[in-house]
């Protein structure tokens, strides 16, 4: 039997060998990183090395990296009323793009009446004119815009948005969870005041994330209170092995970044072209800059849940662009925000590539689509 093909890298990635080795060594440690004895100091050293690795990767001082349990927690920590930036005035409302991850759309700790949505274009890119209009209509705002969309792969104009937000006296949070390891991302280069990351999207372990804050930011209120871990910004004993795995994955992914990006972009384009040629598929956000690894597509009459099962039976792991936590497929809120009706939004299937994806995997996916197209779309 042929081995399975994994094309759901935007959902999670395999654990990198470097991360696994680092974590196994860390599991042998006894010490609590808050303890002052030798065992504790050794655990602390490993945590701080991982902190420095992520800080270097995204252009921030290590002291500005806050480790969390996941990207979702990092987003929740970031979305905090009362944050103060350059002007010293606290933000009083939250503006989020309509295509954000559910953990951002939930609004964090802002009351529902203080949360507004920014429109996106038909290509799934933030409408900067609408953002400007919203910023001019009220008190200082915290704006949250993802660096890259997890469904379409569309890259967002975060640097341009940062200019508008700062001019209006606000702050910008960037969910960079899908960006790290797939495109170059630097906190200062894009003008972000806060940015969220997740280990398991880059070959690290599940259950570890981070929020990185810019210099001069104040007013960040902890979600978890208790001990003084993470400089008082996130209580709870650090997940030493997980954090160590995160650091190792960051180092590994950045070392391979340039070569991986070019190779994946070539495979992505071949995949998209093949899907269209076989059964007239539509690839979303193809007219804008996208992640080099992501293809979200549909075809007339396609049902996402049926296609995902069909691919799975052919030995290929893909996803609907809209599977919720219960596993029930819902119409994609991203495609709905882009102006597509529910029929189209219910038929979107996402294929996402990674560092071990090769030409033979693309061949298998296209052959599976040829079979599925002839069966599912017949008539």
């Amino acid at each position: 039997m042929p081995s399975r093909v994994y094309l759901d890298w935007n959902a999670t990635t395999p654990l990198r060998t470097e991360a696994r080795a680092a974590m196994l060594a860390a599991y042998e440690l006894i010490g609590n990183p808050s303890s002052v004895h030798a065992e504790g100091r050794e655990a602390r050293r490993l945590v701080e090395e991982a902190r420095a690795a992520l800080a270097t990767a995204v252009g921030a001082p290590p002291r500005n990296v806050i480790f969390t349990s996941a990207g979702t927690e990092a987003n929740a920590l970031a979305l905090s009323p009362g944050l103060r930036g350059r002007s010293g005035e606290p933000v009083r409302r939250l503006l989020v793009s309509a295509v954000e991850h559910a953990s951002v759309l939930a609004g964090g700790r802002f009351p529902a009446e203080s949360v507004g949505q920014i429109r996106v274009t038909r290509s799934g890119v933030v409408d900067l004119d609408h953002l400007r209009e919203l910023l001019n209509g009220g008190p200082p705002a915290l704006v949250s815009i993802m660096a890259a969309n997890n469904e379409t792969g569309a890259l967002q104009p975060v640097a341009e948005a940062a200019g508008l937000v700062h001019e209006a006296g606000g702050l910008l949070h960037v969910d960079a969870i899908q960006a790290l390891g797939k495109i170059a991302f630097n906190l200062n280069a894009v003008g972000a005041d806060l940015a969220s990351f997740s280990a398991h999207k880059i070959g690290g372990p599940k259950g570890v994330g981070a929020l990185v804050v810019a210099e001069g930011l104040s007013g960040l209120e902890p979600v978890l209170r208790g001990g003084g871990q993470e400089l008082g910004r996130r209580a709870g004993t650090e997940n030493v092995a997980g954090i160590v795995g995160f650091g190792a994955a960051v180092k590994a992914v950045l070392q391979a970044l340039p070569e991986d990006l070019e190779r994946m972009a070539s495979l992505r384009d071949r995949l998209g072209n093949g899907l269209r040629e076989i059964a007239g598929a539509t690839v979303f956000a193809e007219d804008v800059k996208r992640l080099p690894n992501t293809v979200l597509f549909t075809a007339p009459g396609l049902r996402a849940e049926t296609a995902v099962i069909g691919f799975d039976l052919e030995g290929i792991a893909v996803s609907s662009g809209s599977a919720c936590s219960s596993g029930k497929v819902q119409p994609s809120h991203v495609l709905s925000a882009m102006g597509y009706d529910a029929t189209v939004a219910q038929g979107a299937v996402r294929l996402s590539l990674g560092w071990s994806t090769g030409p033979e995997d693309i061949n298998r996916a296209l052959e599976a689509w040829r079979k599925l197209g002839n069966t599912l779309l017949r008539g």
Side-chain angles (χ1 to χ4, degrees):
M1 292 291 292
S3 60
R4 287 182 60 83
V5 172
Y6 186 72
L7 295 178
D8 199 16
W9 292 71
N10 283 9
T12 194
T13 60
L15 190 65
R16 287 181 176 270
T17 55
E18 298 91 341
R20 180 181 291 106
M23 291 173 68
L24 288 174
Y27 278 125
E28 298 300 319
L29 296 178
I30 300 173
N32 184 316
S34 296
S35 299
V36 298
H37 48 59
E39 289 84 356
R41 293 197 304 275
E42 177 61 12
R44 172 57 56 191
R45 180 184 68 81
L46 293 180
V47 168
E48 296 309 316
E49 285 182 356
R51 196 188 309 278
L54 180 57
T56 299
V58 301
R63 65 179 176 275
N64 290 5
V65 175
I66 307 164
F67 285 117
T68 65
S69 66
T72 289
E73 187 193 335
N75 285 338
L77 178 58
L79 304 185
S80 177
L83 283 170
R84 297 172 184 267
R86 299 163 178 81
S87 68
E89 189 174 356
V91 297
R92 295 187 177 89
R93 58 190 178 123
L94 174 66
L95 301 175
V96 304
S97 90
V99 295
E100 296 299 307
H101 186 269
S103 61
V104 171
L105 291 174
R109 288 168 283 175
F110 283 83
E113 63 271 17
S114 298
V115 180
Q117 278 197 9
I118 311 160
R119 292 193 298 261
V120 297
T121 68
R122 183 75 169 181
S123 299
V125 176
V126 166
D127 183 335
L128 293 176
D129 288 334
H130 189 226
L131 172 60
R132 184 183 292 107
E133 178 185 329
L134 292 172
L135 288 170
N136 292 336
L142 173 64
V143 176
S144 186
I145 298 175
M146 57 186 13
N149 186 260
N150 50 306
E151 293 189 22
T152 65
L155 304 186
Q156 301 299 327
V158 289
E160 294 87 343
L164 297 176
V165 171
H166 294 155
E167 184 180 355
L171 298 170
L172 178 68
H173 165 250
V174 177
D175 178 343
I177 289 169
Q178 289 293 344
L180 186 62
K182 297 171 188 170
I183 58 173
F185 182 87
N186 181 284
L187 204 70
N188 295 318
V190 302
D193 299 289
L194 311 95
S196 303
F197 303 93
S198 181
H200 77 102
K201 304 295 188 180
I202 61 167
K206 300 173 183 67
V208 186
L211 178 67
V212 182
V213 301
E215 284 290 281
L217 186 80
S218 62
L220 184 69
E221 291 293 330
V223 174
L224 299 178
R225 300 177 183 273
Q229 294 89 352
E230 299 300 297
L231 298 180
R233 299 169 298 190
R234 198 274 185 185
T237 301
E238 294 91 344
N239 174 4
V240 176
I243 289 170
V244 166
F246 195 174
V250 166
K251 292 178 182 177
V253 75
L254 291 183
Q255 186 175 6
L257 188 60
E259 181 180 341
D260 272 354
L261 297 192
E262 183 177 351
R263 182 185 57 81
M264 284 194 295
S266 176
L267 292 175
R268 176 204 64 189
D269 292 343
R270 182 167 159 245
L271 176 61
N273 291 336
L275 292 169
R276 279 195 306 271
E277 291 170 2
I278 291 169
T282 296
V283 177
F284 296 101
E286 200 173 26
D287 58 335
V288 295
K289 292 181 179 179
R290 288 181 295 153
L291 290 174
N293 78 318
T294 305
V295 175
L296 181 71
F297 81 97
T298 192
L302 187 66
R303 297 287 297 184
E305 61 267 40
T306 307
V308 169
I309 293 170
F311 273 108
D312 190 44
L313 291 174
E314 293 294 325
I316 302 169
V318 304
S319 72
S320 160
S322 53
C324 67
S325 58
S326 68
K328 182 180 178 182
V329 176
Q330 302 286 348
S332 166
H333 76 279
V334 172
L335 293 180
S336 295
M338 291 163 61
Y340 291 95
D341 63 30
T343 303
V344 175
Q346 287 175 339
V349 177
R350 184 185 68 189
L351 290 78
S352 47
L353 323 179
W355 60 80
S356 66
T357 306
E360 65 283 359
D361 298 319
I362 304 303
N363 292 341
R364 288 269 306 276
L366 293 176
E367 180 58 31
W369 175 235
R370 182 174 288 106
K371 293 180 182 178
L372 293 170
N374 287 335
T375 302
L376 299 180
L377 305 179
R378 184 177 298 147

